[in-house]
Amino acid sequence: MKAPAPVNRHHTEKPEHKQSESLDLLCSTQSIIKAAVKRLGYTEEMYELLKEPLRVITVRIPVRMDDGSIKIFTGYRSQHNDSVGPTKGGVRFHPEVNEEEVKALSIWMSLKCGITNLPYGGGKGGIICDPRNMSFGELERLSRGYVRAISQIVGPTKDIPAPDVYTNSQIMAWMMDEYSRLREFDSPGFITGKPLVLGGSQGRETATARGVTICIEEAVKKKGISLQGARIIVQGFGNAGSFLAKFMYDAGAKVIGISDANGALYDLDGLDIPYLLDRRDSFGTVTNLFSDVITNQELLEKECDILVPAAISNQITAQNADRIKAKIVVEAANGPTTLEATKILDSKEVLLVPDILASAGGVTVSYFEWVQNNQGYYWSEEEVSRKLRKVMVDSFDAIYSMSQSHKVDMRLAAYMVGIRKHAEASHYRGWV
Ligand SMILES: NC(=O)C1=CN([C@@H]2O[C@H](COP(=O)(O)OP(=O)(O)OC[C@H]3O[C@@H](n4cnc5c(N)ncnc54)[C@H](O)[C@@H]3O)[C@@H](O)[C@H]2O)C=CC1
Ligand SMILES: O=C(O)CCC(=O)C(=O)O
């Protein structure tokens, strides 16, 4: 690995896309839900119910900035379907958050909870902001303001938030504290992904990456590839990507590429992952310390055995899918591959493990955290890991079998497995 050389790279990369291709996450999701509902034999009314969230609110959050001015931020909370139980899903802080994306993300949460058989529907939230340019104090005031703004529709038996892009256990702690103050009792079950001392679960911090690792272990068996020595590329070096890179490195795989919002590092001999983990900042940025940096798009197209997009949406598109050389793509990120690109990868016989399966480890251990909060009795890391492994292996098997028996791609198979529980619960409740 090359020696670090400080360079200043403040731009955020954006991929180019074919004019005709739909990058609208909600539209694409709806078209797969339609196909899944049809294949499962549900009615058109069922599709009408499930294609949109039941509830979405937009909130305006005034925050006193450090210079004394007041800035008004816009945030969202979307609740897709609460027929099975309370809704559940993360909150992201990102400049590109928008209502359509939050709606799609909440639908994916329903699908993840359906796949893993958790007693939840899907929820998701987001605030348009750039936490990388905000102070600790400003972030705390924004987090508390968001909870005050959405407090009527969230709660341990209504809708339970969690971390997502650019949010972490500190932000969960502020949000939990604000909610507990509003309700005037301690409410650890209001939010998951908390620090351990505030009722967080062992293993939640690494849960998303653990879940992705289990999917990779299952996928390599299907493809007859040995994980030992396999070449792996991971896009994104935050919570999901950095721990995944570490788990792959520890398993004897060769992590030949990693990236963050600034760019990518690539080395055919394998990167020194423990060193990079040590140097990354709290936003998952490390490439700014190096001079020999390539773009995210260049990295995605490098030859490898396993490619793991673990950053943002719409990264593998009709524009670059033909040039993806991986044998297996495991989506740790939400929505990294477009519909058109999914078809191209499928035609190239790439085994694609879709986001709603691959990234479901996070919400699974969030559920374990909520259960522990409700019972006030806490489990060891071994117990959490064992339970997570069973959920992930069973989920992978169910989707792989669905894909084989219905001769559909893994994404459609995952939607079919994920939607059933919400469809049946909505039907029993007499909604449709
Ligand atoms: N944290 C969790 O428990 C879960 C996360 N996910 C998904 O995993 C993905 C990553 O989330 P986290 O690791 O939690 O976020 P994070 O905030 O910890 O890290 C995000 C990473 O993505 C990189 N990034 C941001 N913008 C980028 C861009 N334009 N191009 C390339 N890289 C960029 C950042 O530099 C950072 O390395 C997201 O899609 C998230 O929704 C899914 C399930 C659970
Ligand atoms: O941990 C959770 O409850 C939700 C995680 C999340 O937002 C996701 O899986 O996309």
Side-chain angles (χ1 to χ4, degrees), residues 88-90 109 112 124 160 162-164 192 204 334 359 362-363 366:
K88 179 95 189 78
M109 286 311 306
K112 288 186 205 192
K124 198 83 177 197
I160 305 134
D164 191 64
T192 59
R204 174 59 185 91
N334 282 299
S359 72
V363 69
S366 273

Side-chain angles (χ1 to χ4, degrees), residues 17 21 54-55 58 76 85 112 116-117 152 162 198 200 202 221 237 243 247 251 290 294 366 378 388 390 406-407:
H17 299 287
E21 187 178 22
L54 291 176
R55 217 168 287 112
T58 303
Y76 306 96
K112 288 186 205 192
T116 47
N117 198 19
Q152 293 303 314
L198 292 180
Q202 295 287 348
K221 283 186 215 157
F237 208 60
F243 286 121
F247 295 150
F290 295 81
I294 62 172
S366 273
Y378 289 84
L388 172 64
K390 174 156 176 45
H406 284 254
K407 299 195 174 20

